[in-house]
Amino acid sequence: MPSSTSNFKRKLRLPRLFFAKPSEIVPRDYERPIPPLPWRGITVVVVLIVIAAASAWEFYCRSIGYGPTLNDNEDLWTSTRRRVKPESVVIIGDSRAWFDLDLDELQKGLGKRPVQLAMGGSCAYPVLADLANDENFHGTIICSVVPRLFVAPPGTPPMERAEKAVRRAHTQTLAQRASQYLAMPLEEHVAFLKQEELTLDDLLKRLPIPNRPNALVPPRLPPYFGTLDRERRARMIEECARPGKLQSTIQQIWLPLFTPPPPPTYIPKDVFMAKMNDAIEARFRDITAAADKLRARGGKIVFLRLPHSGGLKALEDRTTPRTGIWDRVIKDTAAPGIYYEDFPELSGFNCPEWSHLSAGDSVEFSKRLVPHLRNALQL
Amino acid sequence: MTKSAGHQHAFLDKQSRAPMLFNSLTFVVFFTVVVTAYWSMRSWNARKNLLVVASYIFYGAWNPPFAALLFSTTAMDFWLGSRIANAKGRHPRRVWLVASVCMNLSMLGFFKYGNFLLQNFQWLLARIGVIYQPPHLDILLPVGISFYTFHSLSYTLDIYRGVLQPTKSLRDFILAVSFFPQLVAGPIVRAGDFLPQLVDPPSRRTGRFLWGLLLMTLGLFEKIVLADTMLSGSADRIFDYAGPLVALDSWLGVMAFAGQIFFDFAGYSICAIGAALCLGFHLKDNFRFPYAAIGFSDFWRRWHISLSTFLRDYLYIPLGGNQVRPVRAALNLVIVMFLGGLWHGAAWTFVVWGLLHGSYLVIERVFRALFENKAWANNLATRVLAGFATYTAVCIAWVFFRAADFTIATRMLRGMFGGHAHGDAILSTREMLQIGIVTFFMILVHWSLRESNIETAVTRLPRWVVTAAWALMACAIILTQGNSNAFIYFQF
């Protein structure tokens, strides 16, 4: 008969196996060489240099107008997307919805605090499709329309930016989520942590090096002119709202960005234009299908054309007139639309850098927009 | 034939579903907590338990359920290892080994090659007139599966070869397979190299710890600053461009990728070596200045050493190596490189990359047999010329490695060899300068240190240079803000 001790050992077989000392394996004397240097002293000096350099860089960045703000990346977007409840009011679209719509005023007027899912330089469609495909969502979508971004074909940066964010929302790992939570307090206190402005890559891009005359180099993106909070509410900085070098620089950057690029050299022009038209027609169909799907569940959608001014307005009116994309979207989707120029109380605003309202004007604009939104949404 | 949609997508969206990255704040916090707890513990068993838990958290932070897959393959190999060791006679030993190899390779085959095999099966049936539409398996590739499968497989293979005794500690074997610095992107650390380090606890040594930190800084600098900031944007633009490119842009794009993949992968390996050193473990070099290679056998002694030695010991030598007739030896090389290519990904472009390297190795053998004893073959000019030819041929092979499909690869090659005289120029002068400067210094450093190693080089440098270089790298990493891609080799 086995003793109680052997029973006990048998029961503990797995833990013993787990913790057993591997007696058969002998220590191997392979060791990487360690350079014989005074490592403590070197490390102390390195740490001091890095702290001094980072502090000097922070001081310099603040002295030239940069302030701490969150970076608008896919992880911040994902954390905001997670806040969408079945009956939420959700803002989607481009940077105009980001800068021009004040969440406090919309909350006062609509009774719910909107969730800000608009993204700078992005196409609204991937986010609209994501919400339309979310069976739990039957809330309200406020969708900003900048025609060139709204019909951007697949594979272009406006589409990829939005698709990347939507994809991240569905695939974000625990590690990515944790990094976002760790990064936010840092970004809120350190001015130089601006991923789209003060990284080494961006600093290199600013070097005034002329390109080959025939080089097809992408146009420059505008410099820093806004701050962002944890709700992804963007506000224009004062320096940009005032006439000056920053303002005029941004104005001149919008023009090439909003100018239709020439057709690629490797596709005949008529073939390219036919492809583009097909892509735009497909986008109209997709938008209509997404809107129908949302409304079939009791959701609502309203389209907005937000203010823009100066040379940029002239360019947009010429290249993407209202009768083109805007009218077609409203007609195809049979959804309400608010075109700011239709209403005197919405059309008197001036965009300092031609594309977005200043922080102060965005509050007043949103206040004036609320009655129109309530009317369009039949609230 | 077919191409892998997964491969095409991988380079375009490297950050989606990335595991815990060395260049992330999560890892900084994770590593600080683990290192602090590790060195504050007295018990060696407690430290090893901590590392097992930390490694599984590291892996689970990507996708928790796949940690169970990692555990199950590890436990199976642990059991099969003991069966191989205890089996009496050659035949039963072989049966248990075959079971281990089949288990590991079928796991790899299902997750990594499932859709690829189905697509090719469909293509083959179509050739004989049978229309078959296979279901698309929505399989998520477990990150690092190619690496940890090889970590684990080396254990049973080495026990079968009689060079390793099985460990009685499942915990130690779990740690050998899943040790977090090497878990998801190598180096491929054989159980036989790691288990002996688990016998006695490492001593506390400040110099080793701080040298480990310096290596981690160097690895992150290579990855974040050199690969992602200086090179990856240009490489991506060139390889994603849908039209014909002029020769200059095509070559610069390929050179950018050659630098990017080196700094990306070597950077990860150095980070892993540094992180392991901080915990008192010693991992071998995975790269040894490969762009100073003279010839392709030299290249493979310097590039991804842990894979090339794995394939040499477990595949090439069992096939007969070079101890067979020359034609068979050449065939062995091609078979090994074919499988080496396939290991990198389920796409025919990777296979072509492997076959190209196989062909390079065969051609080199022929040249060596014909000219090795000639006086001119060993003079400086010939060596430099051979080094240049090696780098050029390696770059040409990278085209297939990086291109999403053969259309892109063909267009790139045509551009590189002047087939698009009126093609487009899409690189800015800044990008061209970045590629040129980084490539120049990379090759210069590789040639300067080709007979040396980083430890010797650092020992010879004045202290102020080491201090300044370390500080400069750390500042550059902070300036880059960690806004970079996941490591390329995660997808393999």
Side-chain angles (χ1 to χ4, degrees):
Chain A
M1 194 176 80
S3 69
S4 59
T5 311
S6 62
N7 270 337
F8 182 69
K9 279 184 177 172
R10 198 175 303 135
K11 279 180 187 170
L12 286 183
R13 199 169 167 192
L14 185 62
R16 276 198 59 202
L17 186 73
F18 201 77
F19 295 113
K21 193 173 170 72
S23 53
E24 291 84 353
I25 292 176
V26 293
R28 191 172 285 186
D29 53 5
Y30 169 71
E31 281 203 5
R32 294 189 67 86
I34 310 297
L37 294 176
W39 288 113
R40 283 174 202 262
I42 288 175
T43 308
V44 169
V45 176
V46 167
V47 170
L48 290 175
I49 291 174
V50 170
I51 290 172
S55 305
W57 180 235
E58 172 71 6
F59 181 75
Y60 174 74
C61 290
R62 285 178 186 252
S63 74
I64 57 171
Y66 291 98
T69 178
L70 293 183
N71 287 307
D72 188 43
N73 52 34
E74 305 90 60
D75 288 310
L76 182 64
W77 191 89
T78 297
S79 66
T80 315
R81 173 69 179 87
R82 220 174 274 125
R83 288 192 204 141
V84 174
K85 301 283 184 293
E87 295 186 352
S88 291
V89 174
V90 183
I91 300 169
I92 67 171
D94 44 78
S95 59
R96 288 184 192 160
W98 224 22
F99 278 90
D100 298 359
L101 301 181
D102 183 70
L103 301 186
D104 293 333
E105 289 301 326
L106 293 184
Q107 183 181 12
K108 278 183 212 164
L110 302 177
K112 282 180 193 157
R113 192 162 186 82
V115 179
Q116 179 58 275
L117 291 183
M119 266 176 282
S122 80
C123 169
Y125 172 66
V127 183
L128 174 60
D130 183 51
L131 290 167
N133 291 329
D134 181 351
E135 292 294 332
N136 294 319
F137 180 73
H138 51 268
T140 301
I141 293 177
I142 299 171
C143 179
S144 168
V145 177
V146 169
R148 273 185 55 73
L149 298 175
F150 199 74
V151 296
T156 54
M159 274 294 281
E160 285 179 349
R161 201 163 295 147
E163 284 170 341
K164 208 172 164 186
V166 170
R167 193 158 52 236
R168 178 60 61 87
H170 291 280
T171 61
Q172 191 185 43
T173 63
L174 293 173
Q176 287 165 334
R177 195 168 173 177
S179 282
Q180 174 62 18
Y181 284 117
L182 291 167
M184 283 196 291
L186 283 176
E187 291 169 6
E188 285 169 339
H189 291 93
V190 182
F192 72 71
L193 292 178
K194 275 210 62 58
Q195 286 177 354
E196 291 184 356
E197 187 71 21
L198 294 173
T199 62
L200 182 61
D201 191 35
D202 291 299
L203 296 172
L204 289 169
K205 280 179 185 164
R206 284 197 223 162
L207 293 174
I209 304 173
N211 291 314
R212 291 170 287 178
N214 56 343
L216 304 171
V217 178
R220 190 185 156 193
L221 295 171
Y224 163 82
F225 66 96
T227 60
L228 198 70
D229 62 21
R230 290 193 180 207
E231 286 187 292
R232 298 185 68 259
R233 161 72 162 105
R235 288 179 176 82
M236 186 181 289
I237 60 170
E238 270 305 305
E239 192 189 345
C240 181
R242 287 193 305 267
K245 193 183 171 197
L246 178 64
Q247 199 180 82
S248 56
T249 302
I250 297 170
Q251 288 169 352
Q252 295 314 309
I253 285 174
W254 292 135
L255 297 179
L257 266 180
F258 277 79
T259 302
T265 56
Y266 49 88
I267 303 176
K269 191 177 176 184
D270 52 335
V271 175
F272 176 74
M273 295 312 291
K275 273 189 172 181
M276 291 301 290
N277 285 335
D278 289 348
I280 291 171
E281 287 301 319
R283 178 60 45 78
F284 286 133
R285 285 195 298 276
D286 291 342
I287 291 277
T288 306
D292 289 346
K293 198 169 182 179
L294 176 73
R295 284 182 298 214
R297 288 199 303 269
K300 294 176 181 175
I301 184 165
V302 56
F303 292 98
L304 298 184
R305 186 79 165 107
L306 292 164
H308 45 296
S309 323
L312 180 61
K313 180 171 171 10
L315 176 67
E316 282 199 54
D317 286 349
R318 194 174 66 249
T319 56
T320 51
R322 174 178 179 157
T323 49
I325 291 159
W326 172 264
D327 285 352
R328 179 76 189 278
V329 170
I330 301 301
K331 178 172 163 277
D332 283 11
T333 59
I338 302 170
Y339 200 104
Y340 77 101
E341 282 187 312
D342 292 345
F343 307 100
E345 68 272 30
L346 299 181
S347 53
F349 291 89
N350 178 52
C351 298
E353 38 64 272
W354 291 352
S355 190
H356 308 92
L357 295 174
S358 67
D361 278 355
S362 73
V363 175
E364 183 58 28
F365 177 81
S366 300
K367 197 184 287 181
R368 296 184 192 182
L369 179 68
V370 163
H372 298 284
L373 281 174
R374 292 189 64 85
N375 185 38
L377 296 167
Q378 297 173 333
L379 294 175
Chain B
M1 206 188 276
T2 57
K3 68 183 179 189
S4 161
H7 167 54
Q8 191 172 28
H9 187 242
F11 281 105
L12 301 177
D13 187 21
K14 287 172 286 208
Q15 261 190 312
S16 188
R17 263 209 125 76
M20 195 187 293
L21 305 175
F22 284 165
N23 53 325
S24 70
L25 284 173
T26 312
F27 183 76
V28 172
V29 173
F30 167 85
F31 190 66
T32 308
V33 170
V34 170
V35 166
T36 308
Y38 178 82
W39 287 114
S40 60
M41 287 175 173
R42 283 170 174 264
S43 159
W44 180 221
N45 269 326
R47 283 195 215 165
K48 290 194 278 189
N49 294 339
L50 170 75
L51 289 182
V52 169
V53 172
S55 297
Y56 270 75
I57 290 174
F58 180 86
Y59 196 73
W62 165 70
N63 193 330
F66 279 100
L69 180 77
L70 171 64
F71 176 79
S72 59
T73 54
T74 309
M76 275 299 288
D77 273 329
F78 176 75
W79 182 72
L80 289 167
S82 68
R83 294 280 78 79
I84 294 170
N86 294 331
K88 305 283 182 239
R90 188 181 165 87
H91 180 68
R93 284 166 63 81
R94 183 170 284 184
V95 169
W96 290 117
L97 177 72
V98 168
S100 170
V101 172
C102 287
M103 189 266 297
N104 281 291
L105 296 188
S106 59
M107 201 74 78
L108 199 58
F110 174 75
F111 283 104
K112 191 165 176 173
Y113 303 103
N115 281 317
F116 178 68
L117 291 172
L118 274 177
Q119 286 167 4
N120 284 283
F121 183 58
Q122 179 192 19
W123 182 86
L124 275 174
L125 288 180
R127 296 285 81 76
I128 56 169
V130 179
I131 302 302
Y132 164 65
Q133 186 60 47
H136 180 79
L137 304 176
D138 196 13
I139 303 169
L140 180 63
L141 179 67
V143 68
I145 190 170
S146 303
F147 290 95
Y148 73 68
T149 301
F150 276 25
H151 295 162
S152 188
L153 193 55
S154 74
Y155 178 69
T156 49
L157 288 167
D158 278 350
I159 292 173
Y160 179 80
R161 292 161 73 215
V163 297
L164 180 69
Q165 289 287 318
T167 175
K168 285 185 179 171
S169 168
L170 176 60
R171 187 269 319 278
D172 282 6
F173 183 58
I174 289 173
L175 182 53
V177 174
S178 65
F179 184 48
F180 70 85
Q182 76 205 17
L183 174 58
V184 293
I188 298 167
V189 179
R190 299 185 198 185
D193 288 332
F194 197 80
L195 285 170
Q197 299 188 48
L198 297 175
V199 176
D200 294 322
S203 57
R204 289 186 171 85
R205 283 171 59 190
T206 310
R208 182 184 58 211
F209 179 82
L210 295 175
W211 172 242
L213 287 184
L214 194 157
L215 288 182
M216 290 179 81
T217 312
L218 172 63
L220 287 176
F221 175 78
E222 289 191 5
K223 160 67 182 165
I224 299 174
V225 179
L226 299 178
D228 290 348
T229 301
M230 305 299 276
L231 301 173
S232 75
S234 314
D236 290 348
R237 284 188 60 217
I238 291 290
F239 277 91
D240 293 346
Y241 192 67
L245 291 164
V246 293
L248 179 63
D249 289 51
S250 304
W251 274 105
L252 285 171
V254 177
M255 285 163 61
F257 181 69
Q260 183 199 353
I261 194 158
F262 167 73
F263 287 125
D264 189 288
F265 193 20
Y268 191 93
S269 296
I270 292 175
C271 273
I273 290 167
L277 271 181
C278 289
L279 295 162
F281 293 93
H282 298 263
L283 308 184
K284 291 177 179 171
D285 284 336
N286 205 22
F287 289 85
R288 211 172 288 141
F289 312 111
Y291 289 136
I294 300 173
F296 303 99
S297 49
D298 190 23
F299 178 79
W300 282 104
R301 281 193 292 271
R302 296 167 178 277
W303 181 277
H304 201 172
I305 299 164
S306 61
L307 176 68
S308 56
T309 51
F310 189 101
L311 293 174
R312 180 197 65 199
D313 293 347
Y314 301 125
L315 188 60
Y316 180 64
I317 291 175
L319 284 172
N322 56 7
Q323 303 300 310
V324 288
R325 284 182 303 144
V327 174
R328 178 60 203 266
L331 186 65
N332 289 345
L333 276 176
V334 173
I335 291 170
V336 168
M337 294 315 295
F338 164 81
L339 292 172
L342 206 55
W343 176 88
H344 283 86
W348 287 106
T349 46
F350 285 123
V351 172
V352 169
W353 172 79
L355 288 176
L356 262 179
H357 272 280
S359 314
Y360 292 162
L361 288 165
V362 172
I363 293 167
E364 181 187 330
R365 285 214 168 173
V366 173
F367 271 62
R368 278 190 192 282
L370 293 174
F371 306 118
E372 196 166 32
N373 296 326
K374 310 282 184 194
W376 57 265
N378 292 307
N379 67 28
L380 182 65
T382 309
R383 286 165 63 82
V384 170
L385 203 64
F388 177 74
T390 306
Y391 175 73
T392 308
V394 166
C395 280
I396 290 169
W398 283 136
V399 171
F400 291 95
F401 193 95
R402 175 59 180 83
D405 54 41
F406 288 110
T407 310
I408 295 173
T410 312
R411 190 168 59 225
M412 280 295 297
L413 288 172
R414 197 172 291 157
M416 287 162 71
F417 291 101
H420 301 143
H422 301 291
D424 294 330
I426 64 167
L427 290 178
S428 65
T429 310
R430 173 190 60 81
E431 289 171 312
M432 295 162 74
L433 285 171
Q434 283 177 205
I435 297 166
I437 291 168
V438 172
T439 304
F440 174 77
F441 281 104
M442 176 181 73
I443 291 176
L444 187 71
V445 169
H446 283 209
W447 276 87
S448 308
L449 298 178
R450 75 181 300 273
E451 306 297 347
S452 182
N453 58 47
I454 188 165
E455 286 85 0
T456 309
V458 168
T459 306
R460 284 178 187 161
L461 286 171
R463 289 170 193 178
W464 71 267
V465 174
V466 177
T467 310
W470 191 358
L472 199 67
M473 289 190 297
C475 288
I477 290 168
I478 291 172
L479 192 59
T480 313
Q481 301 180 24
N483 180 25
S484 60
N485 302 319
F487 292 85
I488 292 175
Y489 266 69
F490 281 161
Q491 67 190 297
F492 307 140

